[in-house]
Amino acid sequence: EAQLVEYGGGSAQPGGSLRLSCVASGFNLSESPMTWIRQAPGKRLEWVASIDNGLGSTVYGTDVKDRFTITRDNAQNTLYLQLNNLKTEDTGMYYCAKGYCSGVDCLLRGQGTEVSVSS
C-alpha cells in the first residue's frame, strides 16, 4: 500500500526557516512527480511546488517562489521542502502528494505536518 508521511513541521519566527520531509513507502519515489500543497486555517488547499521524476525540474507557486525549495532523494525515497524567509501567511498544514496535483485532486497525500509562523 502506497503511503506518504510528513515530518519537520513546527514553529518559527518570521524570517526563519524550516525543513519538511516526506517519506514514501509502497512505491518508488523515482517513478513519480511529487507535489507539496498546504492549507492555511479556514482556507482552501493551495498548491506550493512540484518536482518531476526525470531531471528534477521544479515549479513553484507565486507566493513561495524564491523562498521555498523542493528537492528529492530517490535513494532515501524522501521528498523535501526547504522553507526560508518564512512569513506569517505561510502558517498552515503542509502535505506532500504523489504526482502533479493542486489540491483536492491529489489522490494520494500524507497526513500533513503543521507549520506555524509568528513573532
Side-chain angles (χ1 to χ4, degrees):
E1 180 185 0
Q3 284 189 322
L4 297 166
V5 180
E6 300 92 340
Y7 301 94
S11 298
Q13 293 186 334
S17 298
L18 288 171
R19 189 192 196 201
L20 309 183
S21 302
C22 166
V23 179
S25 60
F27 71 100
N28 290 326
L29 200 72
S30 62
E31 298 174 356
S32 177
M34 296 294 294
T35 292
W36 285 97
I37 58 176
R38 68 183 181 183
Q39 188 167 29
K43 295 191 176 180
R44 296 179 180 179
L45 286 167
E46 175 190 17
W47 170 70
V48 175
S50 296
I51 185 168
D52 76 8
N53 57 312
L55 298 177
S57 298
T58 57
V59 286
Y60 296 92
T62 303
D63 291 345
V64 307
K65 191 177 180 182
D66 299 326
R67 298 190 298 120
F68 291 6
T69 304
I70 184 172
T71 57
R72 61 196 301 156
D73 184 337
N74 290 334
Q76 298 295 323
N77 233 33
T78 302
L79 179 74
Y80 299 99
L81 186 69
Q82 178 69 39
L83 289 64
N84 294 332
N85 192 20
L86 282 162
K87 303 178 180 180
T88 55
E89 52 263 43
D90 294 321
T91 293
M93 287 293 290
Y94 283 69
Y95 304 89
C96 63
K98 185 174 183 282
Y100 289 119
C101 56
S102 59
V104 295
D105 60 330
C106 295
L107 299 180
L108 174 65
R109 71 181 196 196
Q111 84 291 345
T113 187
E114 188 167 6
V115 171
S116 177
V117 184
S118 66
S119 55

